Amino acid sequence: MQGRAPARATRLAPARRAKLGRSSVLALLFALLAAAAAAQAGLDPALPLTHVDHGPNSAWAEQQHYVVLVSLDGLRWDYARRDHATHLLALGREGVWAPEGMLPSYPSLTFPNHLTMVTGLYPEHHGIVGNHFYDPARKAHFSMSDAEDVADGSWYGGVPIWSLAESKGMRTACLLWPGSEAEIAGERPTWYAHFDEKAQASAAAEQARIDDAAALLRLPAEERPHFIAIYYSEPDHEGHEHGPDAPETRAAVLKMDALVGKLKAALDATGLPIDLVVVSDHGMAKSEGDWITLDQFADFKGFETDGALLYAESEDDRARAYEELKRVSSQFMVYRLKNVPAELHSNANARAGDPVIVATGPYAIRARAPADGGGKPELGMHGFDPRLVPEMKASFFAEGPDLVAGKTVAPFENVNLYPWMTRMLGLTAPKNDGSLNILSGTLRDGGGEAEK
Ligand code: AMP
Ligand code: ZN
Ligand code: ZN
């Protein structure tokens, strides 16, 4: 069953919804419309959820297990043990855990890695190569802070697991997962929410994600989503502001741990066969030194820049900038795009710029200083190569009926989550950069029943 009937709430075009986000009156209207659509579908969600009527689960989909994927932004690989996060550690003990962490894809930033985890593609293949970047072919910048950009599916490549599931007649829900407000690979989740930076950070909105996940799983079997993705912006925010070792960051880790405990209890109470997967997108390092501003070494006249990304009109300019930046500092390497080391999987997409700067440590690098100087770098930073800055490593815990208990796994690249989660749902993954071999030893009996 692949019903594609548009729902009431989706009549709001992405561009229009973007403007709603900026105006509180219209944002309220959006919330009311979303609530009305949700109520129509038999749900009274705590978050303003948009419902897209895709029809019921197919008979095959109804028989499959459930996967709830939770991301805790910036939960460094070692935080749970360091801060005695009892719920996360119990999840790992009763299921699967990567005690030495999971390797984020480069760059270790939020948007690239959230898209990688749900598509199995390195950022250069799904196209979201940064939180902010320029596309030389489109002659346009993407910014995760721009509500229109994040909801515009034309920026995104790959087949997110929710799009794959929906295309096979399996219903899904995304509660603030980056990219889930866009139509990607021709599909949207049946349920999704609009990201509002301030609103989502309240204690009520944090609890709402748990209440909504539980409510969605209490829907009749034909409507229940089999895949639910949940995003939380902590402990990343505190980690940036106060540094990874600060009491505020530790408190945020324990707050998120308590929410994981509540979610687990709510999922257990449904009695459904649910695999709970808790990950993070990257870690956090204490930043060192002041800004390194690249235009003190090179002339960027005629360049587009975005952060430390450099885009020139001509080959001459690229070659000249490369020569000017080469060997000026031990704090960064400079490569022509095609020569970026293979292990970074970042040498083929023009959105990454050319030449490419790779920091050798936790250093704040930018092409140009903003007019107001931009202030000091944040105390906590990420985005670096996890092979050079191991604090970039992310977290991975998972437990459920499809997973063996008490299993630990060595650090693995996060592209491998996709073939593994699709297997748990019985879906056949399209071609991707991951491999099921990496995590297959954690699966109890090979996963779900393959789709017909
Ligand atoms: P980062 O510093 O790379 O960890 O980015 C974290 C930030 O990403 C959060 O503080 C939010 O501002 C932003 N963010 C997270 N999820 C979303 C989303 N779904 N839509 C837009 N921005 C988001
Ligand atoms: Zn992040
Ligand atoms: Zn961050």
Side-chain angles (χ1 to χ4, degrees), residues 401-420:
D402 291 304
L403 299 168
V404 293
K407 179 102 179 164
T408 58
V409 290
F412 66 94
E413 292 184 276
N414 63 357
V415 290
N416 297 298
L417 293 170
Y418 184 75
W420 178 75

Side-chain angles (χ1 to χ4, degrees), residues 73-74 110 236 281-282 382:
D73 200 316
T110 297
D236 180 75
D281 49 354
H282 51 72
H382 55 89

Side-chain angles (χ1 to χ4, degrees), residues 214-433:
L216 287 162
L217 291 165
R218 281 196 302 268
L219 287 170
E222 59 271 23
E223 290 170 42
R224 233 178 257 154
H226 282 254
F227 173 80
I228 303 181
I230 307 178
Y231 168 83
Y232 284 103
S233 60
E234 291 290 7
D236 180 75
H237 184 257
E238 296 293 344
H240 279 296
E241 193 168 337
H242 304 284
D245 300 323
E248 291 86 347
T249 307
R250 290 166 181 261
V253 171
L254 293 179
K255 183 177 81 165
M256 301 324 293
D257 183 57
L259 285 169
V260 168
K262 282 192 190 178
L263 175 66
K264 177 79 170 76
L267 298 181
D268 286 348
T270 66
L272 294 170
I274 303 170
D275 296 304
L276 172 60
V277 182
V278 182
V279 293
S280 64
D281 49 354
H282 51 72
M284 186 69 70
K286 194 166 172 301
S287 65
E288 289 178 25
D290 206 341
W291 283 105
I292 298 165
T293 306
L294 299 171
D295 70 0
Q296 73 183 93
F297 306 114
D299 179 7
F300 295 141
K301 191 162 174 295
F303 277 65
E304 277 291 337
T305 62
D306 204 331
L309 302 179
L310 309 168
Y311 310 87
E313 285 287 341
S314 73
E315 174 56 21
D316 280 358
D317 281 350
R318 286 179 209 116
R320 183 181 44 73
Y322 171 72
E323 291 301 328
E324 286 171 347
L325 292 167
K326 213 166 61 175
R327 289 190 282 271
V328 295
S329 168
S330 61
Q331 293 177 294
F332 61 83
M333 302 295 291
V334 55
Y335 301 102
R336 292 304 306 269
L337 177 62
K338 65 180 185 342
N339 296 330
V340 171
E343 65 268 24
L344 268 60
H345 298 279
S346 186
N347 60 16
N349 192 321
R351 291 179 177 179
D354 188 5
V356 174
I357 304 297
V358 178
T360 55
Y363 312 126
I365 304 179
R366 60 189 178 189
R368 302 176 158 119
D372 67 357
K376 290 270 175 229
E378 290 174 303
L379 287 176
M381 291 189 68
H382 55 89
F384 311 106
D385 176 3
R387 294 153 199 89
L388 299 175
V389 185
E391 295 98 314
M392 294 301 100
K393 283 188 296 177
S395 296
F396 170 79
F397 303 88
E399 192 267 342
D402 291 304
L403 299 168
V404 293
K407 179 102 179 164
T408 58
V409 290
F412 66 94
E413 292 184 276
N414 63 357
V415 290
N416 297 298
L417 293 170
Y418 184 75
W420 178 75
M421 290 189 296
T422 50
R423 174 57 71 92
M424 287 194 268
L425 289 169
L427 294 162
T428 305
K431 189 173 173 306
N432 62 84
D433 294 323

Side-chain angles (χ1 to χ4, degrees), residues 19-33 196:
K19 290 196 191 96
L20 300 183
R22 293 191 198 112
S23 139
S24 53
V25 176
L26 288 173
L28 182 65
L29 181 63
F30 171 81
L32 290 173
L33 279 171
D196 177 327

